[in-house]
Amino acid sequence: MEFVIITGMSGAGKTSALHILEDIGYYCVDNIPSSLLSTLYTLCSKSEDNMMKRVAVVVDVRGNENFENMYSDIRQFKSSHNDVSVLFFDAKVDCLITRYKETRRKHPLTERLKDGSVSEAVEFEKALLLPVKTIADYNIDTTYMLNKQLAERVKSMFMDDTSQSLTLTFMSFGFKYGIPLEADLIIDVRCLPNPYYIPELKPLTGLDEEVRTYVLNSEDTQEFITRTLNLLDFSVPLYLKEGKSELVVGIGCTGGKHRSVTVARQLDEHFVKKGYKCIIQHRDVAK
């Protein structure tokens, strides 16, 4: 049995993730109170229907009046079952506020606050959910993420063989668009030769062979990658030993199109060959 709890900030993408998991064969339930997690788990585990053996549920502030109980319910439920994982969705406060203003939807906590403003509700929810975030197995920040990228990320996490206990995510990005908040490690490759200043390479990306060849032909790049891989080869088994479920490595250059994409591909290829479950995502390559 596989049981995934989706939780996190309102407006950060929980419902979208639930729909994605439903599309790939999960039995999905939205907005279930945390107090009913054990009941649902028991029903699904006893069911003879194989469709009930991969379950995804959304647990958030909508269905829980007592937020302290929500955290304790999830923590206790997770500790009691080794086939339960928690997927937490987050985004920057200003991004969440903008999303609510654009959709003109009401935040689920506005009626519980004095002034009822979206900004206060978002700040309040972020503080409430901080304990829940600390026990999550996976954290996804959707501040700069397109819907297509979200779908790719979730599918990569849950479509493959789940026996691999550590997922490595290599995310290229541009510093000019902000550091990915879910990254556990940040690797700055702005010190490497920049194809941006080569007229014929500027409109291309690290997904093009010409750019990749230019970046990798530098001795500095080769030494940088070698030393970075030495660090990761040493540290990744330590993260695995500590029970970490996902390690997100952000690789950043100025715009997120050339150097970061190239280096992210090199790191991904290295760890795929070593047998790790890897996800590669180029956050800003199309900007």
Side-chain angles (χ1 to χ4, degrees):
M1 180 136 157
E2 184 181 357
F3 199 101
V4 181
I5 300 173
I6 302 172
T7 188
M9 295 295 293
S10 302
K14 301 188 301 295
T15 301
S16 296
L18 191 71
H19 291 162
I20 295 165
L21 290 176
E22 186 173 28
D23 290 341
I24 62 176
Y26 280 75
Y27 173 72
C28 295
V29 181
D30 190 14
N31 191 20
I32 181 175
S34 57
S35 58
L36 294 181
L37 284 171
S38 295
T39 301
L40 178 62
Y41 182 93
T42 300
L43 290 173
C44 292
S45 62
K46 291 182 178 180
S47 173
E48 297 181 358
D49 188 351
N50 287 332
M51 293 291 293
M52 306 285 282
K53 302 308 178 185
R54 300 180 77 198
V55 183
V57 299
V58 172
V59 179
D60 56 26
V61 296
R62 293 172 298 166
N64 292 273
E65 291 287 337
N66 191 316
F67 303 112
E68 291 184 0
N69 284 352
M70 173 182 161
Y71 163 68
S72 61
D73 287 343
I74 294 176
R75 180 174 56 80
Q76 184 174 353
F77 176 72
K78 184 175 181 292
S79 63
S80 301
H81 304 86
N82 57 17
D83 50 6
V84 173
S85 58
V86 178
L87 174 58
F88 191 95
F89 281 87
D90 202 356
K92 285 186 175 180
V93 170
D94 56 349
C95 175
L96 293 171
I97 294 173
T98 299
R99 289 176 185 175
Y100 269 99
K101 289 182 177 180
E102 288 176 348
T103 60
R104 299 187 178 182
R105 294 188 63 199
K106 185 166 62 173
H107 192 283
L109 294 180
T110 51
E111 293 183 354
R112 305 188 195 185
L113 302 173
K114 289 184 178 180
D115 68 359
S117 68
V118 173
S119 58
E120 185 182 3
V122 171
E123 293 279 9
F124 181 50
E125 183 182 29
K126 190 170 280 285
L128 286 172
L129 293 179
L130 185 59
V132 179
K133 186 175 183 178
T134 63
I135 60 173
D137 299 282
Y138 305 97
N139 285 280
I140 297 181
D141 188 289
T142 62
T143 302
Y144 304 104
M145 194 175 286
L146 302 175
N147 289 334
K148 179 182 178 181
Q149 294 173 325
L150 173 60
E152 290 173 350
R153 180 81 176 275
V154 173
K155 286 179 180 179
S156 297
M157 283 178 168
F158 296 100
M159 281 187 72
D160 298 333
D161 181 9
T162 56
S163 62
Q164 172 64 53
S165 57
L166 176 67
T167 299
L168 292 173
T169 297
F170 298 102
M171 181 187 298
S172 68
F173 70 94
F175 278 96
K176 65 189 292 185
Y177 301 112
I179 295 174
L181 299 182
E182 70 266 47
D184 300 290
L185 300 173
I186 293 292
I187 300 172
D188 186 348
V189 299
R190 288 176 292 184
C191 57
L192 302 181
N194 193 353
Y196 179 86
Y197 297 108
I198 309 299
E200 60 269 28
L201 299 181
K202 180 178 178 180
L204 304 179
T205 73
L207 299 175
D208 296 299
E209 196 58 38
E210 299 91 331
V211 170
R212 186 175 188 178
T213 298
Y214 176 84
V215 175
L216 295 180
N217 274 350
S218 164
E219 291 184 5
D220 289 338
T221 300
Q222 290 297 328
E223 182 68 18
F224 186 94
I225 291 175
T226 297
R227 290 174 181 257
T228 301
L229 288 175
N230 286 339
L231 170 64
L232 292 175
D233 282 338
F234 172 76
S235 58
V236 166
L238 299 181
Y239 286 110
L240 180 60
K241 184 179 179 181
E242 286 298 311
K244 195 167 180 62
S245 300
E246 182 189 28
L247 184 70
V248 180
V249 182
I251 303 96
C253 62
T254 304
K257 290 187 175 183
H258 300 109
R259 296 166 290 180
S260 61
V261 174
T262 300
V263 174
R265 291 177 66 189
Q266 291 296 109
L267 302 184
D268 176 72
E269 290 173 6
H270 173 82
F271 280 96
V272 166
K273 289 179 181 178
K274 296 190 73 170
Y276 285 90
K277 179 182 177 183
C278 297
I279 300 169
I280 188 165
Q281 181 180 348
H282 305 300
R283 195 191 72 180
D284 302 324
V285 72
K287 293 181 180 176

